[in-house]
């Protein structure tokens, strides 16, 4: 290892319990020259340097901005500003601003991101199949950016044309087909723009509503802090271990619907594993696709689907990536069934 590099395997040697806390001081000393990583809280820094910090304190992220962002993105959906057209269709208009912003991705660890509307992942846009959509995009970032939407639309709305800093463009198309779609920047180099944070989920609901459920949005992603092409932290909704000490609350026998996508850069696959239960997985979120009844699914980058599950017993159910390295570097949490 060079004087200015720290690999994810170096973090793993520390062990899960101390990974985030010790990584804070390591990154300050060894990675900051490369990635401009800064500590979010000087007081937290002093406690992080204590290698004997207990498990509880490490995952106690209630007051951190990164945890607040991940929690908000879990249940927040942007339906846009709606108006009825003369032909009876619903017009939905959305505002999207690309902006450079430092994002807290673990307790005390900051990432110099490129964002849509200031979060990584970006907002979860939502509409109904057949709606007319207008996305008013303004690039206030330091590089050219665009928005490429998955789905069916005219080629001129495909987001391949870079929008220079300070300029804007309006993407307009009909929402189709229904299912879980994605959006992301499509400016070269792609891996740079996606890894930096320009992506999010895009839900097109079917005209016949799905069964009511507790709905959760989860985008699997990761962060390469020392710019060596390998990730050091893996997360859901941008914050490592977000739901460990603060589990996602669920009611016994309640239907839970998870919109799950993989936007992880630098790794071929990511995965979702649920302990002590099975779920139904619907690829691309389309009811006409063959489903799986399982406890583990894999997704390549850009792949997505819907998980539907009920919990028959009370208690805590762990969920995590079924790549041990990913889990130990941040991609794990709990559901708490009450």
């Amino acid at each position: 290892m060079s004087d200015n590099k720290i690999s994810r395997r170096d973090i793993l040697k520390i062990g899960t319990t101390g990974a985030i806390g010790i990584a804070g001081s390591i990154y300050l000393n060894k990675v900051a020259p490369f990635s401009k990583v800064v500590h979010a809280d000087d007081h937290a820094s002093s406690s992080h340097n204590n290698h004997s910090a207990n498990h509880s304190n490490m995952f106690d992220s209630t007051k951190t901005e990164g945890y607040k962002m991940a929690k908000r993105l879990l249940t927040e959906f942007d339906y846009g500003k709606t108006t009825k057209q003369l032909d009876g269709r619903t017009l939905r208009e959305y505002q999207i601003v690309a902006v450079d912003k430092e994002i807290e991705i673990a307790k005390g660890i900051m990432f110099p991101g490129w964002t849509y509307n200031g979060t990584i992942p970006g907002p979860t846009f939502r509409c109904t199949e057949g709606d007319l959509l207008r996305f008013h995009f303004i690039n206030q970032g330091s590089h050219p950016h665009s928005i490429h939407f998955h789905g069916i639309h005219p080629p001129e709305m495909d987001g391949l044309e870079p929008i220079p800093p300070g300029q804007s463009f309006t993407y307009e198309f009909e929402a189709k087909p229904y299912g879980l779609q994605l959006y992301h920047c499509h400016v070269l180099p792609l891996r740079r723009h996606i890894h930096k944070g320009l992506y999010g989920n895009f839900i097109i609901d079917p005209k016949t509503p799905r069964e009511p459920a507790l709905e959760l949005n989860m985008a699997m992603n990761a962060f390469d802090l020392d710019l060596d092409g390998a990730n050091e932290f893996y997360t859901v909704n941008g914050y490592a271990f977000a739901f460990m000490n603060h589990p996602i609350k669920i009611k016994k026998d309640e239907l839970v619907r998870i919109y799950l996508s993989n936007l992880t850069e630098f790794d071929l696959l990511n995965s979702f594993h649920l302990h002590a239960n099975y779920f139904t997985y619907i690829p691309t979120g389309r009811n006409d696709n063959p489903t799986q009844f399982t406890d583990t699914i894999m997704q390549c980058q850009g792949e997505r689907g819907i998980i539907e599950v009920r919990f028959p017993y009370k208690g805590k159910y762990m969920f995590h990536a079924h790549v041990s390295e990913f889990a130990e570097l941040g991609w794990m949490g709990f559901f708490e069934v009450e």
Side-chain angles (χ1 to χ4, degrees):
M1 183 180 72
S2 72
D3 291 339
N4 294 317
K5 291 282 186 175
I6 178 78
S7 75
R8 56 186 178 180
R9 287 169 181 82
D10 293 315
I11 297 177
L12 282 169
K13 291 175 184 176
I14 300 166
T16 303
T17 303
I20 291 181
I22 301 171
S25 59
I26 291 176
Y27 275 108
L28 280 172
N29 295 327
K30 300 197 175 190
V31 181
F34 291 88
S35 59
K36 299 182 180 178
V37 177
V38 297
H39 235 282
D41 186 343
D42 290 337
H43 176 73
S45 177
S46 63
S47 64
H48 289 163
N49 288 329
N50 180 359
H51 292 198
S52 63
N54 63 47
H55 182 281
S56 167
N57 288 338
M58 187 194 68
F59 295 128
D60 187 8
S61 54
T62 306
K63 297 180 180 180
T64 65
E65 291 304 313
Y67 168 73
K68 292 176 183 178
M69 178 190 71
K71 182 179 180 182
R72 177 165 57 85
L73 291 173
L74 188 68
T75 56
E76 185 175 271
F77 303 97
D78 186 348
Y79 289 87
K81 180 181 178 181
T82 63
T83 56
K84 279 292 184 181
Q85 300 294 93
L86 292 177
D87 60 4
R89 285 198 301 173
T90 297
L91 168 65
R92 297 185 186 273
E93 297 190 74
Y94 306 85
Q95 301 292 327
I96 312 179
V97 180
V99 59
D100 299 357
K101 183 180 177 181
E102 284 193 333
I103 300 294
E104 187 178 25
I105 63 168
K107 193 172 182 180
I109 304 295
M110 305 299 289
F111 176 76
W114 298 344
T115 75
Y116 291 124
N117 290 4
T119 63
I120 300 176
T124 302
F125 299 115
R126 194 159 186 177
C127 58
T128 300
E129 188 174 33
D131 289 348
L132 179 61
L133 309 180
R134 286 183 189 154
F135 292 90
H136 301 290
F137 174 58
I138 303 172
N139 184 5
Q140 293 182 358
S142 56
H143 296 76
H145 297 306
S146 70
I147 309 177
H148 165 64
F149 295 91
H150 287 218
I152 300 173
H153 46 250
E156 59 267 25
M157 295 296 159
D158 203 35
L160 300 183
E161 187 69 27
I163 309 302
Q167 297 192 24
S168 62
F169 184 82
T170 296
Y171 299 92
E172 182 173 328
F173 52 89
E174 181 181 343
K176 60 181 180 182
Y178 82 84
L180 177 54
Q181 313 294 352
L182 303 173
Y183 68 93
H184 57 83
C185 184
H186 215 290
V187 174
L188 299 175
L190 289 178
R191 69 176 189 167
R192 174 75 165 161
H193 288 250
I194 291 177
H195 165 253
K196 291 282 280 184
L198 292 169
Y199 50 78
N201 283 348
F202 170 40
I203 301 170
I204 302 179
D205 290 316
K207 292 181 180 180
T208 301
R210 302 181 192 272
E211 181 181 354
L214 172 64
E215 296 195 320
L216 305 173
N217 175 74
M218 291 187 180
M220 300 187 290
N221 53 4
F223 299 92
D224 170 21
L225 293 182
D226 59 6
L227 307 181
D228 65 350
N231 297 307
E232 285 79 45
F233 288 93
Y234 292 82
T235 79
V236 156
N237 293 356
Y239 191 78
F241 302 108
F243 306 108
M244 288 291 288
N245 260 13
H246 307 284
I248 300 168
K249 304 291 186 180
I250 290 171
K251 295 178 182 178
K252 180 177 174 293
D253 296 320
E254 176 182 29
L255 177 62
V256 179
R257 180 174 297 120
I258 302 171
Y259 296 91
L260 181 75
S261 63
N262 179 25
L263 279 304
T264 306
E265 192 58 78
F266 307 128
D267 290 282
L268 293 177
L269 297 170
N270 208 332
S271 57
F272 178 99
H273 169 58
L274 176 63
H275 283 213
N277 205 354
Y278 263 46
F279 54 80
T280 298
Y281 180 67
I282 309 167
T284 323
R286 289 191 57 86
N287 298 334
D288 51 0
N289 284 339
T291 62
Q292 300 178 47
F293 188 58
T294 182
D295 63 359
T296 305
I297 59 99
M298 293 191 301
Q299 293 180 340
C300 66
Q301 188 192 67
E303 194 169 358
R304 65 274 185 197
I306 291 177
I307 288 172
E308 292 191 342
V309 61
R310 297 179 191 269
F311 294 85
Y313 305 108
K314 294 180 181 179
K316 285 186 178 181
Y317 294 75
M318 177 172 273
F319 62 91
H320 59 82
H322 217 299
V323 177
S324 299
E325 186 177 29
F326 295 6
E328 292 177 6
L329 290 173
W331 179 180
M332 66 168 70
F334 282 103
F335 297 113
E336 185 167 6
V337 180
E338 301 173 330

